[in-house]
Amino acid sequence: MKKTNPSFLNGVPELLVLRLLARREMYGYQIVEEIRTQTGEALSFGEGCIYPYLHYLEAEKQVSSQRREVEGRNRNYYKLTARGRKRLEALTSEWKRVTTGVSLLMEEQYA
Amino acid sequence: MKKTNPSFLNGVPELLVLRLLARREMYGYQIVEEIRTQTGEALSFGEGCIYPYLHYLEAEKQVSSQRREVEGRNRNYYKLTARGRKRLEALTSEWKRVTTGVSLLMEEQYA
DNA sequence: TGACAAGCATCACAGTTTAATGTATTGTCG
DNA sequence: CGACAATACATTAAACTGTGATGCTTGTCA
């Protein structure tokens, strides 16, 4: 996975993953579910999207993982690193910039 | 160009193009420029993105075009059809749904 | 026992945007 | 005049992203 110059609109999964992990540590499957529920079903990214992101984020040292057995299940728990927190801040302000930009164009009066 | 099931984030160029044409008729090059300026430089889609959209939208009868010579320039002016207006409304509410969803997840308190 | 949820993972594919390139005309500046 | 930038259209290969399918294992529950 290469994230060179992710343009405006993609990379939202990355933003949401980081944002969730900023609250508490979580495992992949749980992240998939929470993105769906906590966005009010507005967004839903499959495991085929989220797992590769987690691996990428770990390789980038934005998250760290720990395998743990909980409730008879093997889970990979991820938590944010300091670096990940910075990345989250950057992506957040980028997201705001973009949505603000869209609003500017959208909300202008009809001629 | 197939626009079957454009997921959440893509298709923003289409939204902005339709929104601009809802105000007044415009030509391609102008649309490219206005997206850049009216979003406060937050968004910038190249001609390689916008022209194919215009052709696609015309094929879909969401816009109609008229070649005209103005100020010594040959331009293809596009304007919205009734169908395009409906499409704009659909894309607009979809965009709101998505950004609202992201906000829901983003703005929740830290644990 | 069979079905299904939880949990991880990978991959081919499809859709979207970028960046480069091409053509032609018009305007500008030294 | 000559060069170069801007205007205006268009196309294309390549890159990037997310989808949907699939596979594997373990646990639960009827």
Side-chain angles (χ1 to χ4, degrees), chain B residues 83-103:
Chain B
R83 188 169 178 177
R85 197 165 294 268
K86 279 197 180 163
R87 175 77 176 146
L88 170 59
E89 282 161 26
L91 285 180
T92 300
S93 73
E94 181 57 16
W95 172 252
K96 283 181 186 161
R97 238 186 101 247
V98 168
T99 51
T100 301
V102 172
S103 295

Side-chain angles (χ1 to χ4, degrees), chain B:
Chain B
M1 227 191 201
K2 233 184 277 179
K3 312 280 178 201
T4 47
N5 212 10
S7 61
F8 327 107
L9 309 159
N10 306 325
V12 167
E14 187 181 0
L15 170 64
L16 299 187
V17 165
L18 290 172
R19 183 61 187 82
L20 283 175
L21 293 179
R23 287 216 272 274
R24 67 186 191 287
E25 59 175 18
M26 295 178 67
Y27 54 98
Y29 191 83
Q30 184 184 20
I31 292 173
V32 170
E33 298 301 305
E34 290 212 2
I35 287 180
R36 196 171 46 74
T37 59
Q38 292 197 26
T39 59
E41 320 280 309
L43 263 40
S44 180
F45 299 103
E47 292 158 271
C49 172
I50 298 304
Y51 283 119
Y53 263 110
L54 288 171
H55 301 158
Y56 159 74
L57 289 171
E58 184 169 24
E60 290 287 309
K61 303 210 187 296
Q62 290 174 21
V63 304
S64 63
S65 80
Q66 199 196 355
R67 192 163 190 93
R68 219 180 298 160
E69 182 167 339
V70 182
E71 299 165 21
R73 294 283 177 183
N74 270 328
R75 298 168 175 168
N76 293 329
Y77 280 87
Y78 292 87
K79 67 177 176 184
L80 214 55
T81 63
R83 188 169 178 177
R85 197 165 294 268
K86 279 197 180 163
R87 175 77 176 146
L88 170 59
E89 282 161 26
L91 285 180
T92 300
S93 73
E94 181 57 16
W95 172 252
K96 283 181 186 161
R97 238 186 101 247
V98 168
T99 51
T100 301
V102 172
S103 295
L104 283 175
L105 192 150
M106 293 291 289
E107 286 163 16
E108 193 150 323
Q109 300 290 334
Y110 277 69

Side-chain angles (χ1 to χ4, degrees), chain A residues 5 8 27-29 47-48 51-52 55 73-76:
Chain A
N5 212 10
F8 326 108
Y27 54 97
Y29 191 84
E47 293 159 87
Y51 284 118
H55 301 157
R73 293 284 179 183
N74 270 328
R75 297 169 175 167
N76 294 328

Side-chain angles (χ1 to χ4, degrees), chain A residues 31-44:
Chain A
I31 293 173
V32 169
E33 298 302 304
E34 290 212 2
I35 288 181
R36 195 170 47 74
T37 57
Q38 292 197 25
T39 59
E41 320 282 307
L43 263 40
S44 179

Side-chain angles (χ1 to χ4, degrees), chain A residues 19-77:
Chain A
R19 184 61 187 83
L20 283 176
L21 293 178
R23 287 214 273 274
R24 69 185 190 285
E25 59 175 17
M26 295 177 66
Y27 54 97
Y29 191 84
Q30 184 184 22
I31 293 173
V32 169
E33 298 302 304
E34 290 212 2
I35 288 181
R36 195 170 47 74
T37 57
Q38 292 197 25
T39 59
E41 320 282 307
L43 263 40
S44 179
F45 298 104
E47 293 159 87
C49 173
I50 297 303
Y51 284 118
Y53 263 110
L54 288 172
H55 301 157
Y56 160 75
L57 289 171
E58 184 169 24
E60 291 288 309
K61 303 212 188 295
Q62 289 172 24
V63 303
S64 63
S65 78
Q66 199 197 353
R67 192 164 189 92
R68 219 179 299 160
E69 183 168 339
V70 183
E71 297 166 22
R73 293 284 179 183
N74 270 328
R75 297 169 175 167
N76 294 328
Y77 279 87

